[in-house]
Amino acid sequence: GAGVSQTPSNKVTEKGKYVELRCDPISGHTALYWYRQSLGQGPEFLIYFQGTGAADDSGLPNDRFFAVRPEGSVSTLKIQRTERGDSAVYLCASSPQGRTEAFFGQGTRLTVV
Amino acid sequence: QQQVKQSPQSLIVQKGGIPIINCAYENTAFDYFPWYQQFPGKGPALLIAIRPDVSEKKEGRFTISFNKSAKQFSLHIMDSQPGDSATYFCAARPSGNTPLVFGKGTRLSVIA
């Protein structure tokens, strides 16, 4: 079956602009995670959804970052007033209910110029 | 505070060698320990995982060794091949669907 799909693959935006990154999880997976990966680093947790609600958003760096998952499937990560320091690969992962395995998408490479 | 410490940062081995990557953790609530493989431009792919009730798990050429008392676990790659050249991440989390905590990664190069 299809894996986790993230769009766009690459996004270049100007400093101060607003961006939306989309994640389409594996069908039926109830848990969805957003991570951020800087060059040469491991993924860092941002936010986790169980169904439609954000179960843990403690990793969001500041209030410019927001994520939604209105119907418990697709999720959108929204970044306002982008800064050059937001440049990174944004990864999405999903897990089935009651299972620990997490499956990642290919990521969205965000570059803020 | 880094919850999962991974070493070495990079590793070069000859084809057929056995690279070993090590991770240590502090949180005794962790009970799931996966390893991910990541190629450039791709997302991390789940390779193998272990729970603390066993000391070793093998899947093909990949083996995890787990030492609960020392709070350490390691990945061994048997008969390594150039196609294994990638970045490897260890991770950990408590039970359930809570988020994974990742190590910083090890860049492995297998040379022919």
Side-chain angles (χ1 to χ4, degrees), chain B residues 1-109:
Chain B
Q1 179 188 4
Q2 189 182 349
Q3 295 195 56
V4 178
K5 293 185 179 180
Q6 183 172 347
S7 63
Q9 195 170 7
S10 62
L11 189 53
I12 300 173
V13 299
Q14 295 276 354
K15 179 174 178 276
I18 306 176
I20 300 173
I21 305 170
N22 301 297
C23 282
Y25 65 97
E26 291 295 326
N27 189 344
T28 54
F30 289 154
D31 80 342
Y32 173 71
F33 303 88
W35 285 90
Y36 283 82
Q37 179 189 57
Q38 187 175 32
F39 293 104
K42 303 293 185 183
L46 180 62
L47 199 57
I48 186 173
I50 198 168
R51 291 192 179 275
D53 52 346
V54 296
S55 60
E56 185 176 277
K57 183 175 181 180
K58 289 184 181 181
E59 286 187 6
R61 295 185 294 107
F62 300 93
T63 299
I64 299 179
S65 297
F66 188 84
N67 185 329
K68 187 174 181 179
S69 61
K71 292 186 284 187
Q72 295 176 346
F73 59 110
S74 59
L75 176 70
H76 303 229
I77 305 176
M78 306 302 177
D79 186 28
S80 58
Q81 302 296 315
D84 296 328
S85 297
T87 300
Y88 292 81
F89 293 96
C90 62
R93 72 169 163 197
S95 61
N97 285 132
T98 51
L100 288 163
V101 177
F102 283 84
K104 290 192 172 184
T106 297
R107 178 177 284 189
L108 172 67
S109 296

Side-chain angles (χ1 to χ4, degrees), chain A:
Chain A
V4 177
S5 176
Q6 291 188 246
T7 53
S9 299
N10 285 282
K11 176 71 176 179
V12 180
T13 191
E14 292 181 346
K15 179 175 178 294
K17 298 289 189 184
Y18 168 83
V19 296
E20 290 190 350
L21 312 179
R22 175 187 167 108
C23 172
D24 203 338
I26 294 171
S27 178
H29 282 196
T30 55
L32 184 146
Y33 313 84
W34 284 100
Y35 290 83
R36 179 166 71 174
Q37 187 174 27
S38 300
L39 193 62
Q41 300 294 315
E44 293 181 319
F45 167 70
L46 295 175
I47 186 169
Y48 149 53
F49 289 89
Q50 188 64 257
T52 59
D56 184 352
D57 65 358
S58 62
L60 295 176
N62 52 60
D63 61 6
R64 294 187 298 105
F65 288 75
F66 188 72
V68 295
R69 194 185 185 200
E71 297 179 358
S73 178
V74 171
S75 176
T76 305
L77 178 66
K78 308 180 182 197
I79 310 174
Q80 298 177 319
R81 304 183 305 280
T82 51
E83 300 177 357
R84 293 197 178 89
D86 298 335
S87 297
V89 174
Y90 289 81
L91 294 164
C92 177
S94 68
S95 294
Q97 176 70 35
R99 298 285 300 276
T100 49
E101 298 91 345
F103 301 94
F104 282 82
Q106 83 283 4
T108 294
R109 180 175 296 278
L110 175 66
T111 304
V112 182
V113 297

